[in-house]
Amino acid sequence: MHVLPKANPLYEKIPAQKIVLTDVLNKLAKGSFSGYLSYTDADFVADCIFVQGILICVGACEKERERTGFEAFSLLFDRILSSGGEINIYRMTADVAVCAHALLLGAKLFHGSEVRRIDIKGTLAQLRNQGLNGVVRFYTQKRSAMIFYKDGKKIGYYHDDAQTIETSPEESRKIAALPGALVDVCSTKPMEELMRNNLLHMVNLEKLWEAAQARQTTPRPEAAAAAQKIATDGPDDVKLQGLVEDLKEIAAAYLSKEGRIAVEKGLQEAGGKRILFDDGKTAVFITQLEKEARNIDSNARIDEMIDLMKSEIAGRLAV
């Protein structure tokens, strides 16, 4: 599950069903908010990280399975509508929010390594020389502490009993010295690079919210049939079916019901879902789908929709 620092709370324990999440996210953006909004419910958690009003990432974790981007938003909206949960919002400086991105979606330079087996002083010196943007996290089953870095320089400390980001490394040293302590080192890109992509401009949240509401109120018997088919198919078919459903949801978010139909029709005409394993055939399918989408609604953000689909195809089939 996610382990972002819970310092400087703006709001805590707000029932998610009493707010309109899309409105809250847009208000945080307009207020140049830096920090993150967290949603929790049983075995599910989702986090939306902002830097100076720009939504740089969203991540969701359900039963240890991580999701990001469009898929994370869809799961988040479905969960709020189906079971409620709570919203928490924590303020940060922009630099610490970048470190939160490293924790959530950054590269893992070390992951679950035993502190006693590592030259910590040498490692920290190396991170300084490399200009780390990110976090060093020491933890046991009961305790956790973090050191935040910008350009290789320490900019703050946090531990599980803290109410704010601190300036003293004392607690971090204590936790690192505990028997069996482990260490993670997470890195990310500089702030300027992360801020180039604003998810609020790439994803039509209102359409996603409407699609989630429709899923809650409209029976979908075909979903059960699809699930039964997936259960009897091989891994490739399972992966493809999930990808196709994601493409339909993306299209529906931008073009409503007509978008879902366009994806189904386009794949059928292109030769079926397995063409998505072929880069050339996929490119043809995407080109034709873009043309059809512009015929359906020339005022919709079709370029964003197509970019999101390309990213989803590349990400899904890369694993």
Side-chain angles (χ1 to χ4, degrees), residues 67-143:
R67 314 288 182 88
T68 61
F70 171 85
E71 191 174 12
F73 270 129
S74 294
L75 285 174
L76 171 58
F77 291 166
D78 283 341
R79 196 63 173 249
I80 289 174
L81 291 168
S82 65
S83 62
E86 292 182 340
I87 296 290
N88 301 284
I89 302 176
Y90 299 95
R91 291 172 292 192
M92 297 173 167
T93 65
D95 290 330
V96 175
V98 169
C99 294
H101 178 276
L103 283 166
L104 189 63
L105 296 180
K108 299 295 189 292
L109 306 181
F110 287 89
H111 183 57
S113 302
E114 289 188 60
V115 173
R116 66 185 180 87
R117 296 182 180 275
I118 296 174
D119 175 9
I120 291 297
K121 288 185 178 180
T123 298
L124 296 182
Q126 183 179 6
L127 298 176
R128 181 177 64 249
N129 294 334
Q130 292 176 347
L132 175 72
N133 291 294
V135 181
V136 175
R137 176 177 175 247
F138 300 107
Y139 58 99
T140 65
Q141 287 187 342
K142 295 183 178 180
R143 299 298 314 276

Side-chain angles (χ1 to χ4, degrees), residues 204-277:
N204 190 326
L205 292 186
E206 287 70 23
K207 287 289 187 180
L208 282 182
W209 182 253
E210 291 171 6
Q213 290 176 314
R215 287 194 294 272
Q216 295 298 318
T217 58
T218 305
R220 293 179 59 188
E222 72 276 9
Q228 179 63 35
K229 184 178 187 303
I230 289 173
T232 59
D233 286 342
D236 284 350
D237 292 293
V238 173
K239 183 186 296 185
L240 278 176
Q241 188 60 40
L243 173 56
V244 170
E245 290 304 315
D246 284 348
L247 295 180
K248 290 179 184 178
E249 292 294 342
I250 292 173
Y254 285 85
L255 301 168
S256 299
K257 181 180 179 181
E258 289 83 356
R260 178 180 291 275
I261 294 172
V263 171
E264 293 175 345
K265 179 182 176 182
L267 282 174
Q268 185 177 10
E269 292 177 350
K273 63 187 178 183
R274 297 194 68 84
I275 65 101
L276 295 172
F277 280 126

Side-chain angles (χ1 to χ4, degrees), residues 150-168:
K150 177 186 178 182
D151 299 329
K153 298 178 181 179
K154 298 174 184 177
I155 59 171
Y157 305 85
Y158 175 80
H159 59 89
D160 43 21
D161 291 331
Q163 299 299 312
T164 62
I165 303 300
E166 300 184 341
T167 58
S168 170

